[in-house]
Amino acid sequence: MNDRPSIPTRRLAADAAGVAEAARLLRAGDLVAFPTETVYGLGGDATDPAAVAKIFAAKARPRLNPLIAHLPDRAAALDRGAFDDHAQRLAAAFWPGPLTLVVPATVRTDVCALARAGLSSVALRVPASGLARDLLAQVGRPVAGPSANASGRLSPTSADHVLADLAGRIAAVLDGGDAPVGVESTVVACLGGAPRLLRPGGITRAAIVAVLGCDLAGDEAADPVRPAGPGLLASHYAPRARLRLDARHVEPGDAVLLFGADQPHGLDRAGAVVNLSPRGDLAEAAARLFAALRALDASGAAVIAVATIPATGLGEAIMDRLRRAAAPR
């Protein structure tokens, strides 16, 4: 990505002037990274194909991968899609929050076809971050917001992470501090029949099932080349180092990602070590995941050995990201 033209990237403060300038840039068709409660999104006007094309170019992202359109409130989101009873209940329970709903697009949908990857559905979210909703309200249009990083690489949870990947490629980043959730939104498709969990995330499977009163369908029929939602490519969220999951031993020079009190054999041979949560708290681990992987990747280790992490609750989202990060590239 370094051989492409560079533009100055501004860091905007999370105050009234910074939000107003970010909104102005987005309305003008420029790209602005902005904080949500999950990760930083790379914002562009979702109604403008030229702005959306800039997102794909900045990220070097496949155009068959749809983007989430972010809205400031539930009413604005409901106006862009056809919400069945399941989708209505999930929106009422979890918006604003880290949930993306994939629903049929309606004739009123102004999210452009490029942002929807040419699909008849649209991915919608109302973030919990007050700063993000303030920005979205000032823009007055749906804002496409995939994670603000190079495609397939680690998602950013701070403005510094954004600048490390995209400085010179976007107009600005609105610096709202560290993202508190740390993993992307849960994605649920409500396209007729049983709702499908496309991607685990900041809302747990159990919480969704409790609202729906029924189990979620799997996504065994998902197309690995043309996904129905964001973040579903087999290789995604990847550091440069190779990941070895459920590591029970450490090879000399490995970087090591720990969770809780368990320690793999030979930890003294590690080149770098980060514990996501020494007390075994999955919410803390999720919030620290991408920053920890970035730190271990920066150590220069060829391999990151990942200790066992329970795949329950938020652990399901953590392990989803780690499996995709470990997939063949």
Side-chain angles (χ1 to χ4, degrees):
M1 294 174 61
N2 293 331
D3 59 342
R4 294 177 180 174
S6 179
I7 61 173
T9 299
R10 300 161 59 194
R11 187 192 295 255
L12 302 175
D15 55 19
V19 172
E21 177 62 6
R24 184 193 70 78
L25 289 167
L26 286 166
R27 289 194 301 271
D30 290 318
L31 302 186
V32 177
F34 65 100
T36 76
E37 72 279 16
T38 56
V39 299
Y40 274 66
L42 179 54
D45 183 350
T47 71
D48 179 3
V52 173
K54 289 181 183 179
I55 293 176
F56 287 111
K59 287 177 61 71
R61 179 184 175 109
R63 293 197 177 196
L64 292 179
N65 202 357
L67 305 179
I68 298 172
H70 294 70
L71 285 308
D73 54 56
R74 186 152 52 104
L78 293 175
D79 197 44
R80 265 81 183 185
F83 285 65
D84 63 14
D85 180 64
H86 292 128
Q88 290 274 6
R89 289 159 65 185
L90 291 174
F94 298 117
W95 279 351
L99 174 71
T100 294
L101 292 173
V102 178
V103 297
T106 67
V107 293
R108 301 186 306 277
T109 299
D110 52 358
V111 178
C112 70
L114 183 58
R116 293 185 283 112
L119 300 173
S120 60
S121 56
V122 61
L124 302 169
R125 182 160 99 87
V126 180
S129 164
L131 180 63
R133 293 202 311 278
D134 186 13
L135 172 64
L136 295 168
Q138 291 194 38
V139 174
R141 305 165 194 165
V143 172
S147 56
N149 57 284
S151 185
R153 296 300 181 184
L154 294 168
S155 296
T157 55
S158 72
D160 286 344
H161 293 166
V162 174
L163 291 170
D165 265 14
L166 298 179
R169 312 259 336 130
I170 63 177
V173 55
L174 182 63
D175 189 348
D178 292 341
V181 175
V183 291
E184 295 82 357
S185 60
T186 301
V187 180
V188 176
C190 296
L191 298 170
R196 288 186 295 145
L197 179 65
L198 298 185
R199 180 180 73 183
I203 302 293
T204 66
R205 178 191 297 266
I208 293 169
V209 168
V211 167
L212 293 176
C214 64
D215 288 336
L216 289 162
D219 204 37
E220 296 80 3
D223 186 335
V225 176
R226 189 179 180 84
L232 302 182
L233 296 177
S235 177
H236 212 62
Y237 314 112
R240 290 174 175 81
R242 181 172 59 85
L243 265 66
R244 188 173 75 248
L245 303 184
D246 295 319
R248 305 303 172 91
H249 67 280
V250 176
E251 298 292 343
D254 282 354
V256 181
L257 188 67
L258 299 175
F259 174 78
D262 290 340
Q263 295 187 355
H265 178 71
L267 187 61
D268 58 321
R269 297 181 291 189
V273 179
V274 174
N275 196 322
L276 288 175
S277 176
R279 59 183 176 167
D281 184 303
L282 287 169
E284 180 183 28
R288 299 186 64 199
L289 176 64
F290 288 126
L293 287 172
R294 283 176 180 267
L296 293 175
D297 209 26
S299 74
V303 174
I304 298 174
V306 181
T308 300
I309 299 173
T312 57
L314 278 175
E316 182 179 14
I318 294 170
M319 288 308 302
D320 171 80
R321 304 311 188 270
L322 289 171
R323 291 187 189 103
R324 294 181 192 275
R329 319 234 175 120

